[in-house]
Coordinates of all heavy atoms in Angstrom, one line a residue:
T1 N 0.8 -1.2 0.0 CA 0.0 0.0 0.0 C 0.8 1.3 0.1 O 0.3 2.4 0.3 CB -1.0 0.0 1.2 OG1 -0.2 0.0 2.4 CG2 -2.0 -1.1 1.2
A2 N 2.1 1.1 -0.3 CA 3.1 2.3 -0.4 C 3.6 2.4 -1.7 O 3.9 1.3 -2.4 CB 4.1 2.2 0.7
A3 N 4.0 3.6 -2.1 CA 4.7 3.8 -3.4 C 5.9 4.7 -3.1 O 5.8 5.7 -2.4 CB 3.8 4.4 -4.4
A4 N 7.0 4.4 -3.6 CA 8.3 5.2 -3.4 C 8.8 5.7 -4.7 O 8.7 5.0 -5.8 CB 9.3 4.3 -2.7
G5 N 9.3 6.9 -4.7 CA 9.8 7.5 -5.9 C 10.6 8.8 -5.5 O 10.8 9.0 -4.4
P6 N 10.8 9.6 -6.5 CA 11.5 10.9 -6.3 C 10.8 11.8 -5.3 O 11.4 12.7 -4.6 CB 11.7 11.6 -7.6 CG 11.1 10.7 -8.6 CD 10.6 9.5 -7.9
W7 N 9.5 11.6 -5.1 CA 8.6 12.4 -4.3 C 8.7 12.0 -2.8 O 8.2 12.6 -1.9 CB 7.1 12.4 -4.7 CG 6.6 11.0 -4.6 CD1 6.0 10.4 -3.5 CD2 6.6 10.0 -5.6 NE1 5.7 9.2 -3.8 CE2 6.0 8.9 -5.1 CE3 7.1 9.9 -6.9 CZ2 5.9 7.7 -5.8 CZ3 6.9 8.8 -7.6 CH2 6.3 7.6 -7.0
G8 N 9.3 10.8 -2.6 CA 9.5 10.2 -1.3 C 8.6 8.9 -1.3 O 8.6 8.1 -2.2
V9 N 7.9 8.7 -0.2 CA 7.0 7.5 0.0 C 5.6 8.0 0.3 O 5.4 8.9 1.1 CB 7.5 6.6 1.2 CG1 6.5 5.4 1.2 CG2 8.9 6.2 0.9
S10 N 4.6 7.5 -0.5 CA 3.2 7.8 -0.3 C 2.5 6.6 -0.1 O 2.9 5.5 -0.4 CB 2.7 8.6 -1.5 OG 2.9 7.9 -2.7
F11 N 1.3 6.7 0.6 CA 0.5 5.5 1.0 C -0.9 5.6 0.3 O -1.5 6.7 0.2 CB 0.4 5.5 2.5 CG 1.7 5.4 3.2 CD1 2.5 6.6 3.5 CD2 2.3 4.2 3.4 CE1 3.7 6.5 4.1 CE2 3.6 4.1 4.0 CZ 4.3 5.2 4.3
A12 N -1.4 4.4 0.0 CA -2.7 4.4 -0.6 C -3.8 4.8 0.4 O -3.8 4.6 1.6 CB -3.0 2.9 -1.0
A13 N -4.7 5.6 -0.1 CA -5.8 6.2 0.6 C -6.8 5.1 1.1 O -7.0 4.1 0.4 CB -6.5 7.3 -0.1
N14 N -7.5 5.4 2.2 CA -8.6 4.6 2.6 C -9.9 5.2 1.8 O -10.3 6.4 2.1 CB -8.8 4.8 4.1 CG -10.0 4.0 4.6 OD1 -10.8 3.5 3.9 ND2 -10.2 4.0 5.9
L15 N -10.4 4.5 0.9 CA -11.6 4.9 0.2 C -12.9 4.4 0.7 O -14.0 4.5 0.0 CB -11.4 4.5 -1.3 CG -10.1 5.2 -1.9 CD1 -10.1 4.7 -3.5 CD2 -10.3 6.7 -2.0
T16 N -12.9 3.9 1.8 CA -14.2 3.4 2.4 C -14.9 4.6 3.2 O -14.3 5.6 3.4 CB -14.0 2.3 3.5 OG1 -13.4 2.8 4.6 CG2 -13.1 1.2 2.9
P17 N -16.2 4.4 3.4 CA -16.9 5.5 4.1 C -16.7 5.7 5.6 O -17.6 6.3 6.3 CB -18.4 5.2 3.8 CG -18.4 3.7 3.6 CD -17.1 3.3 3.0
D18 N -15.6 5.2 6.1 CA -15.2 5.5 7.4 C -14.7 6.9 7.7 O -14.1 7.5 6.6 CB -14.1 4.5 7.9 CG -13.8 4.5 9.3 OD1 -14.5 3.9 10.1 OD2 -12.8 5.1 9.6
P19 N -14.8 7.5 8.8 CA -14.2 8.8 9.0 C -12.7 8.9 8.7 O -12.2 9.9 8.4 CB -14.5 9.1 10.4 CG -15.7 8.3 10.8 CD -15.6 7.0 9.9
T20 N -12.0 7.7 8.8 CA -10.6 7.7 8.5 C -10.3 7.6 6.9 O -9.2 7.7 6.5 CB -9.8 6.5 9.2 OG1 -10.4 5.3 8.6 CG2 -10.0 6.6 10.7
G21 N -11.4 7.5 6.2 CA -11.3 7.5 4.8 C -12.2 8.7 4.2 O -11.9 9.8 4.6
I22 N -13.2 8.4 3.3 CA -13.9 9.4 2.7 C -15.2 9.6 3.4 O -16.2 10.2 2.8 CB -14.1 9.2 1.2 CG1 -14.9 7.9 0.9 CG2 -12.8 9.1 0.5 CD1 -15.4 7.8 -0.4
G23 N -15.4 9.1 4.6 CA -16.7 9.2 5.3 C -17.2 10.5 5.5 O -18.4 10.7 5.6
T24 N -16.3 11.5 5.7 CA -16.8 12.9 5.9 C -16.7 13.8 4.7 O -17.1 15.0 4.8 CB -16.0 13.5 7.1 OG1 -14.6 13.6 6.7 CG2 -16.1 12.8 8.3
W25 N -16.3 13.3 3.6 CA -16.2 14.0 2.4 C -17.5 14.3 1.8 O -18.4 13.5 1.8 CB -15.3 13.2 1.3 CG -13.9 13.0 1.6 CD1 -13.3 13.0 2.8 CD2 -12.9 12.9 0.6 NE1 -11.9 12.7 2.7 CE2 -11.7 12.7 1.4 CE3 -12.8 12.9 -0.7 CZ2 -10.4 12.5 0.7 CZ3 -11.6 12.6 -1.3 CH2 -10.5 12.5 -0.7
T26 N -17.6 15.4 1.1 CA -18.7 15.7 0.2 C -18.5 15.1 -1.2 O -17.3 14.9 -1.6 CB -19.0 17.3 0.1 OG1 -17.9 17.8 -0.6 CG2 -19.2 17.8 1.5
E27 N -19.5 15.1 -2.0 CA -19.4 14.6 -3.4 C -18.4 15.6 -4.1 O -17.7 15.2 -4.9 CB -20.7 14.4 -4.0 CG -20.6 13.8 -5.4 CD -21.9 13.5 -6.0 OE1 -22.8 13.1 -5.2 OE2 -22.1 13.6 -7.2
E28 N -18.6 16.9 -3.9 CA -17.8 17.9 -4.5 C -16.2 17.7 -4.1 O -15.4 17.9 -5.0 CB -18.2 19.3 -4.1 CG -19.5 19.7 -4.8 CD -19.5 19.4 -6.4 OE1 -18.5 19.9 -7.1 OE2 -20.5 18.8 -6.9
Q29 N -15.9 17.4 -2.9 CA -14.6 17.2 -2.5 C -14.1 16.0 -3.3 O -12.9 16.0 -3.7 CB -14.5 16.9 -1.0 CG -14.6 18.1 -0.1 CD -14.5 17.7 1.3 OE1 -15.5 17.2 1.9 NE2 -13.4 18.0 2.0
F30 N -14.9 14.9 -3.4 CA -14.5 13.7 -4.0 C -14.1 14.0 -5.4 O -13.1 13.6 -6.0 CB -15.5 12.6 -3.9 CG -15.2 11.4 -4.7 CD1 -14.2 10.4 -4.1 CD2 -15.7 11.1 -5.9 CE1 -13.8 9.3 -4.8 CE2 -15.3 9.9 -6.5 CZ -14.4 9.0 -6.0
K31 N -15.0 14.8 -6.2 CA -14.8 15.1 -7.5 C -13.5 15.9 -7.7 O -12.7 15.8 -8.7 CB -16.0 15.9 -8.1 CG -17.2 15.0 -8.3 CD -18.4 15.8 -8.8 CE -19.6 14.9 -9.0 NZ -20.8 15.7 -9.4
R32 N -13.3 16.9 -6.8 CA -12.1 17.8 -6.9 C -10.8 16.9 -6.7 O -9.9 17.1 -7.4 CB -12.2 18.8 -5.8 CG -11.1 19.9 -5.9 CD -11.3 21.1 -5.0 NE -12.5 21.8 -5.2 CZ -13.5 21.8 -4.2 NH1 -13.4 21.3 -3.1 NH2 -14.6 22.5 -4.5
A33 N -10.9 15.9 -5.8 CA -9.7 15.1 -5.6 C -9.5 14.3 -6.8 O -8.3 14.2 -7.3 CB -9.9 14.2 -4.3
L34 N -10.5 13.6 -7.3 CA -10.4 12.8 -8.5 C -10.1 13.5 -9.7 O -9.1 12.9 -10.5 CB -11.7 12.0 -8.7 CG -11.8 10.9 -9.7 CD1 -10.8 9.7 -9.4 CD2 -13.2 10.3 -9.8
K35 N -10.6 14.6 -10.0 CA -10.5 15.2 -11.3 C -9.4 16.4 -11.3 O -8.9 16.8 -12.4 CB -11.8 15.8 -11.8 CG -12.8 14.6 -12.1 CD -14.2 15.2 -12.3 CE -14.3 15.8 -13.7 NZ -15.6 16.2 -14.1
E36 N -9.2 17.0 -10.1 CA -8.2 18.0 -10.0 C -6.9 17.7 -9.3 O -6.0 18.4 -9.2 CB -8.8 19.2 -9.4 CG -10.0 19.8 -10.2 CD -10.7 21.0 -9.5 OE1 -10.0 21.7 -8.7 OE2 -11.9 21.2 -9.8
G37 N -7.0 16.5 -8.6 CA -5.8 16.1 -7.8 C -5.5 16.8 -6.5 O -4.4 16.8 -6.1
K38 N -6.6 17.4 -6.0 CA -6.4 18.1 -4.7 C -6.5 17.1 -3.5 O -7.5 16.4 -3.4 CB -7.5 19.2 -4.6 CG -7.3 20.3 -5.6 CD -6.0 21.0 -5.4 CE -5.8 22.2 -6.3 NZ -4.6 22.9 -6.0
F39 N -5.6 17.2 -2.6 CA -5.6 16.4 -1.4 C -6.9 16.6 -0.6 O -7.3 17.7 -0.3 CB -4.4 16.7 -0.6 CG -4.3 15.9 0.7 CD1 -4.1 14.6 0.7 CD2 -4.5 16.6 2.0 CE1 -4.0 13.9 2.0 CE2 -4.4 15.9 3.1 CZ -4.2 14.6 3.2
K40 N -7.6 15.4 -0.4 CA -8.9 15.4 0.4 C -9.9 16.4 -0.3 O -10.9 16.7 0.2 CB -8.8 15.8 1.8 CG -8.0 14.7 2.6 CD -8.0 15.0 4.1 CE -7.3 13.9 4.8 NZ -7.4 14.0 6.2
G41 N -9.7 16.7 -1.6 CA -10.6 17.5 -2.3 C -10.8 19.0 -1.8 O -11.7 19.6 -2.1
I42 N -9.7 19.4 -1.1 CA -9.8 20.7 -0.5 C -9.1 21.8 -1.4 O -8.0 21.6 -1.7 CB -9.2 20.7 0.9 CG1 -9.9 19.7 1.8 CG2 -9.1 22.1 1.5 CD1 -9.2 19.4 3.1
E43 N -9.9 22.8 -1.7 CA -9.2 23.9 -2.5 C -7.9 24.5 -1.8 O -7.9 24.6 -0.6 CB -10.2 25.1 -2.6 CG -11.3 25.0 -3.6 CD -10.8 25.0 -5.0 OE1 -9.7 25.6 -5.4 OE2 -11.4 24.5 -5.9
G44 N -6.9 24.7 -2.6 CA -5.7 25.2 -2.0 C -4.8 24.1 -1.3 O -3.8 24.5 -0.8
S45 N -5.3 22.9 -1.2 CA -4.5 21.9 -0.6 C -3.4 21.4 -1.6 O -3.4 21.7 -2.8 CB -5.3 20.7 -0.2 OG -5.9 20.0 -1.2
R46 N -2.5 20.5 -1.1 CA -1.4 20.0 -1.9 C -2.0 19.1 -2.9 O -3.1 18.6 -2.8 CB -0.4 19.3 -1.0 CG -0.9 18.0 -0.4 CD 0.3 17.2 0.2 NE -0.1 16.0 0.9 CZ -0.6 14.9 0.4 NH1 -0.6 14.7 -0.9 NH2 -0.9 13.9 1.1
M47 N -1.2 18.8 -4.0 CA -1.5 17.8 -5.0 C -1.5 16.4 -4.5 O -0.6 16.2 -3.6 CB -0.8 18.0 -6.3 CG -0.8 19.4 -6.9 SD -2.5 19.9 -7.3 CE -2.8 18.8 -8.7
L48 N -2.3 15.5 -5.0 CA -2.2 14.1 -4.6 C -0.8 13.6 -5.2 O -0.4 14.0 -6.3 CB -3.3 13.3 -5.3 CG -4.7 13.6 -4.7 CD1 -5.7 12.9 -5.5 CD2 -4.8 13.3 -3.3
L49 N -0.3 12.7 -4.4 CA 1.0 12.1 -4.8 C 0.8 10.8 -5.6 O -0.3 10.2 -5.5 CB 1.9 11.8 -3.6 CG 2.2 13.1 -2.7 CD1 2.8 12.6 -1.4 CD2 3.1 14.0 -3.4
P50 N 1.8 10.4 -6.4 CA 1.8 9.1 -7.0 C 1.6 8.0 -5.9 O 2.0 8.3 -4.7 CB 3.2 9.0 -7.6 CG 3.6 10.4 -7.8 CD 3.0 11.1 -6.7
P51 N 1.0 7.0 -6.2 CA 0.7 6.5 -7.5 C -0.7 6.9 -8.0 O -1.2 6.4 -9.0 CB 0.8 5.0 -7.3 CG 0.3 4.7 -5.9 CD 0.8 6.0 -5.2
M52 N -1.5 7.8 -7.3 CA -2.8 8.2 -7.8 C -2.7 8.9 -9.1 O -2.2 10.0 -9.2 CB -3.5 9.1 -6.7 CG -4.8 9.6 -7.1 SD -6.0 8.3 -7.6 CE -7.3 9.2 -8.3
P53 N -3.2 8.4 -10.1 CA -3.1 8.9 -11.5 C -4.3 9.8 -11.7 O -5.0 9.7 -12.8 CB -3.2 7.7 -12.4 CG -4.0 6.7 -11.7 CD -3.8 6.9 -10.3
W54 N -4.5 10.8 -10.9 CA -5.7 11.7 -11.0 C -5.7 12.4 -12.4 O -6.8 12.7 -12.9 CB -5.7 12.8 -9.9 CG -4.5 13.7 -10.0 CD1 -3.3 13.6 -9.4 CD2 -4.5 15.0 -10.8 NE1 -2.5 14.7 -9.7 CE2 -3.1 15.5 -10.6 CE3 -5.3 15.6 -11.6 CZ2 -2.7 16.6 -11.1 CZ3 -4.9 16.8 -12.2 CH2 -3.6 17.3 -11.9
F55 N -4.6 12.7 -13.0 CA -4.6 13.3 -14.3 C -5.2 12.5 -15.4 O -5.6 13.1 -16.4 CB -3.1 13.7 -14.7 CG -2.1 12.6 -14.3 CD1 -1.9 11.5 -15.2 CD2 -1.4 12.6 -13.2 CE1 -1.1 10.4 -14.9 CE2 -0.6 11.6 -12.8 CZ -0.4 10.5 -13.7
N56 N -5.4 11.3 -15.1 CA -6.1 10.4 -16.1 C -7.7 10.6 -16.0 O -8.4 10.0 -16.8 CB -5.8 8.9 -15.9 CG -4.4 8.6 -16.3 OD1 -3.9 9.2 -17.2 ND2 -3.7 7.7 -15.6
Y57 N -8.1 11.3 -15.0 CA -9.6 11.4 -14.7 C -10.0 12.8 -14.9 O -11.2 13.2 -14.6 CB -9.9 11.0 -13.3 CG -9.5 9.5 -13.0 CD1 -8.3 9.2 -12.4 CD2 -10.3 8.5 -13.5 CE1 -8.0 7.8 -12.2 CE2 -10.1 7.2 -13.4 CZ -8.8 6.9 -12.6 OH -8.5 5.6 -12.5
T58 N -9.2 13.7 -15.5 CA -9.6 15.1 -15.6 C -10.8 15.3 -16.5 O -11.6 16.3 -16.3 CB -8.4 16.0 -16.1 OG1 -8.1 15.5 -17.4 CG2 -7.3 16.0 -15.2
E59 N -11.0 14.4 -17.5 CA -12.2 14.5 -18.4 C -13.3 13.6 -18.0 O -14.3 13.5 -18.8 CB -11.7 14.2 -19.8 CG -10.6 15.1 -20.4 CD -11.0 16.5 -20.4 OE1 -12.2 16.8 -20.9 OE2 -10.2 17.5 -20.1
L60 N -13.2 13.0 -16.8 CA -14.3 12.1 -16.4 C -15.7 12.9 -16.2 O -15.6 14.0 -15.7 CB -13.9 11.5 -15.0 CG -14.8 10.5 -14.4 CD1 -14.8 9.1 -15.3 CD2 -14.5 10.1 -13.0
K61 N -16.7 12.4 -16.7 CA -18.0 13.1 -16.6 C -18.4 13.1 -15.2 O -18.2 12.2 -14.4 CB -19.0 12.2 -17.5 CG -18.8 12.3 -18.9 CD -19.8 11.5 -19.7 CE -19.6 11.5 -21.2 NZ -20.5 10.6 -21.9
D62 N -19.1 14.2 -14.8 CA -19.5 14.4 -13.4 C -20.4 13.2 -13.0 O -20.3 12.7 -11.9 CB -20.3 15.7 -13.3 CG -19.3 16.9 -13.1 OD1 -18.1 16.6 -12.8 OD2 -19.8 18.0 -13.2
E63 N -21.3 12.7 -13.9 CA -22.2 11.6 -13.5 C -21.4 10.4 -13.3 O -21.9 9.6 -12.4 CB -23.3 11.4 -14.6 CG -22.9 11.3 -16.0 CD -22.9 12.6 -16.8 OE1 -22.7 13.7 -16.1 OE2 -22.8 12.5 -18.0
D64 N -20.3 10.1 -13.9 CA -19.5 9.0 -13.7 C -18.8 9.1 -12.3 O -18.7 8.2 -11.6 CB -18.5 8.7 -14.8 CG -19.1 8.4 -16.0 OD1 -20.2 7.7 -16.1 OD2 -18.6 8.5 -17.2
A65 N -18.3 10.3 -12.0 CA -17.6 10.5 -10.7 C -18.7 10.4 -9.6 O -18.4 9.8 -8.5 CB -17.0 12.0 -10.7
S66 N -19.9 10.8 -9.8 CA -20.9 10.6 -8.8 C -21.3 9.2 -8.6 O -21.5 8.8 -7.5 CB -22.2 11.4 -9.3 OG -22.1 12.8 -9.3
A67 N -21.2 8.4 -9.7 CA -21.5 7.0 -9.5 C -20.4 6.3 -8.8 O -20.7 5.4 -7.9 CB -21.7 6.4 -10.9
I68 N -19.2 6.7 -9.0 CA -18.0 6.1 -8.3 C -18.1 6.5 -6.8 O -18.0 5.6 -5.9 CB -16.7 6.6 -8.8 CG1 -16.5 6.1 -10.3 CG2 -15.5 6.2 -7.9 CD1 -15.3 6.7 -11.0
F69 N -18.4 7.8 -6.5 CA -18.6 8.2 -5.1 C -19.7 7.4 -4.4 O -19.5 6.9 -3.3 CB -18.9 9.7 -5.1 CG -19.0 10.3 -3.7 CD1 -17.8 10.4 -2.9 CD2 -20.2 10.8 -3.3 CE1 -17.9 11.0 -1.7 CE2 -20.3 11.3 -2.0 CZ -19.2 11.4 -1.2
A70 N -20.9 7.2 -5.1 CA -22.0 6.6 -4.6 C -21.6 5.1 -4.2 O -22.0 4.5 -3.2 CB -23.2 6.5 -5.5
Y71 N -20.9 4.5 -5.1 CA -20.5 3.0 -4.9 C -19.5 3.0 -3.7 O -19.7 2.2 -2.8 CB -19.7 2.5 -6.2 CG -19.0 1.2 -5.8 CD1 -19.7 0.1 -5.6 CD2 -17.6 1.2 -5.7 CE1 -19.1 -1.2 -5.3 CE2 -17.0 0.0 -5.3 CZ -17.7 -1.2 -5.1 OH -17.1 -2.3 -4.8
L72 N -18.5 3.9 -3.6 CA -17.6 3.9 -2.5 C -18.3 4.1 -1.2 O -17.9 3.5 -0.1 CB -16.4 4.9 -2.7 CG -15.5 4.6 -3.9 CD1 -14.5 5.8 -4.1 CD2 -14.7 3.3 -3.6
K73 N -19.3 4.9 -1.2 CA -20.0 5.2 0.0 C -20.8 4.1 0.4 O -21.4 4.0 1.6 CB -20.9 6.5 -0.2 CG -20.2 7.8 -0.2 CD -19.6 8.1 1.2 CE -19.4 9.6 1.4 NZ -19.3 10.0 2.8
S74 N -21.1 3.1 -0.5 CA -22.0 2.0 -0.2 C -21.2 0.8 0.5 O -21.7 -0.2 0.9 CB -22.7 1.5 -1.4 OG -21.8 0.7 -2.3
L75 N -19.8 0.9 0.4 CA -19.0 -0.1 0.9 C -19.0 -0.2 2.4 O -19.4 0.7 3.1 CB -17.6 0.1 0.5 CG -17.3 0.1 -1.0 CD1 -15.8 0.4 -1.3 CD2 -17.6 -1.3 -1.6
K76 N -18.6 -1.3 3.0 CA -18.5 -1.4 4.4 C -17.4 -0.5 4.9 O -16.2 -0.6 4.4 CB -18.1 -2.9 4.8 CG -17.9 -3.1 6.3 CD -17.5 -4.5 6.6 CE -17.3 -4.7 8.1 NZ -16.8 -6.0 8.4
P77 N -17.6 0.4 6.0 CA -16.5 1.2 6.4 C -15.4 0.4 7.0 O -15.6 -0.6 7.7 CB -17.2 2.1 7.5 CG -18.6 2.0 7.1 CD -18.9 0.7 6.6
V78 N -14.2 0.8 6.8 CA -13.0 0.2 7.4 C -12.1 1.3 8.1 O -11.7 2.2 7.4 CB -12.1 -0.5 6.3 CG1 -10.9 -1.1 6.9 CG2 -12.9 -1.6 5.7
S79 N -12.0 1.2 9.3 CA -11.1 2.1 10.1 C -9.7 1.9 9.8 O -9.2 0.8 10.1 CB -11.4 2.0 11.6 OG -10.6 2.9 12.3
N80 N -9.0 2.8 9.1 CA -7.6 2.6 8.7 C -7.0 4.0 8.5 O -7.2 4.6 7.5 CB -7.5 1.8 7.4 CG -6.1 1.6 7.0 OD1 -5.2 1.5 7.8 ND2 -5.8 1.7 5.7
V81 N -6.3 4.5 9.5 CA -5.6 5.7 9.5 C -4.4 5.6 8.6 O -3.5 4.7 8.8 CB -5.2 6.2 10.8 CG1 -4.4 7.5 10.7 CG2 -6.4 6.4 11.7
V82 N -4.3 6.3 7.5 CA -3.2 6.2 6.5 C -2.1 7.1 7.0 O -2.3 8.3 7.3 CB -3.7 6.6 5.1 CG1 -2.5 6.7 4.1 CG2 -4.9 5.6 4.7
P83 N -0.8 6.6 7.0 CA 0.3 7.5 7.3 C 0.5 8.6 6.5 O 0.1 8.6 5.3 CB 1.5 6.6 7.2 CG 1.0 5.2 7.2 CD -0.4 5.3 6.7
Q84 N 1.1 9.7 7.0 CA 1.5 10.8 6.2 C 2.5 10.5 5.2 O 3.4 9.5 5.5 CB 1.9 12.0 7.0 CG 0.9 12.6 7.9 CD -0.2 13.3 7.1 OE1 0.0 14.1 6.2 NE2 -1.5 13.0 7.4
P85 N 2.6 11.1 4.0 CA 3.7 10.8 3.1 C 5.1 11.2 3.8 O 5.2 12.0 4.7 CB 3.5 11.8 2.0 CG 2.3 12.5 2.3 CD 1.8 12.2 3.6
I86 N 6.1 10.4 3.4 CA 7.4 10.6 3.8 C 8.2 11.3 2.7 O 8.4 10.8 1.6 CB 8.1 9.3 4.2 CG1 7.3 8.6 5.2 CG2 9.5 9.5 4.7 CD1 7.7 7.1 5.5
P87 N 8.7 12.5 3.0 CA 9.4 13.2 2.0 C 10.8 12.5 1.6 O 11.3 11.8 2.4 CB 9.7 14.6 2.6 CG 9.5 14.5 4.0 CD 8.6 13.3 4.3
P88 N 11.3 12.8 0.4 CA 12.6 12.2 0.0 C 13.7 12.7 1.0 O 13.6 13.8 1.6 CB 12.8 12.7 -1.4 CG 11.9 13.9 -1.5 CD 10.8 13.7 -0.6
D89 N 14.8 11.9 1.0 CA 15.9 12.3 1.9 C 16.4 13.7 1.6 O 16.4 14.1 0.4 CB 17.1 11.3 1.7 CG 16.7 9.9 2.2 OD1 15.8 9.8 3.0 OD2 17.3 8.9 1.8
G90 N 16.8 14.3 2.6 CA 17.4 15.7 2.4 C 16.3 16.8 2.4 O 16.7 18.0 2.1
M91 N 15.0 16.6 2.6 CA 14.1 17.5 2.5 C 13.5 17.8 4.0 O 13.5 17.1 4.8 CB 12.9 17.2 1.7 CG 13.2 17.2 0.2 SD 11.9 17.0 -0.8 CE 11.3 18.7 -0.9

């Protein structure tokens, strides 16, 4: 669940509807994260790190993003606090 590269080490997000995942997110936050690459879908936040290929979803139709969000919200919540990214050495 981790990816390492020149950006450091990043960890896969919890996409379940638990509060440690997307449980408190609005649909608009989800769309912003998915289509604009914003961390937690928050305006002005940092960009999502690899391996999340958000740039492949910039043209995703809003109704498709809504369907993905609805599906993820229907899953069983899993409590899983994801570690913060680890910056590359020397930063």
Side-chain angles (χ1 to χ4, degrees):
T1 61
W7 64 88
V9 179
S10 54
F11 300 90
N14 177 357
L15 296 179
T16 73
D18 187 80
T20 62
I22 63 167
T24 61
W25 291 29
T26 65
E27 188 171 325
E28 288 307 310
Q29 283 177 289
F30 179 77
K31 287 178 182 177
R32 191 175 297 119
L34 187 62
K35 297 172 70 170
E36 297 176 27
K38 294 295 184 177
F39 177 69
K40 294 190 177 185
I42 300 169
E43 280 290 337
S45 64
R46 68 167 172 80
M47 299 305 291
L48 293 176
L49 299 172
M52 177 55 189
W54 64 267
F55 41 83
N56 291 327
Y57 300 101
T58 59
E59 300 297 321
L60 186 71
K61 294 180 184 177
D62 279 345
E63 51 269 21
D64 292 333
S66 294
I68 294 168
F69 184 69
Y71 169 73
L72 292 173
K73 287 289 204 166
S74 76
L75 298 174
K76 178 182 175 186
V78 175
S79 180
N80 179 37
V81 177
V82 176
Q84 291 294 313
I86 301 168
D89 291 338
M91 291 189 83

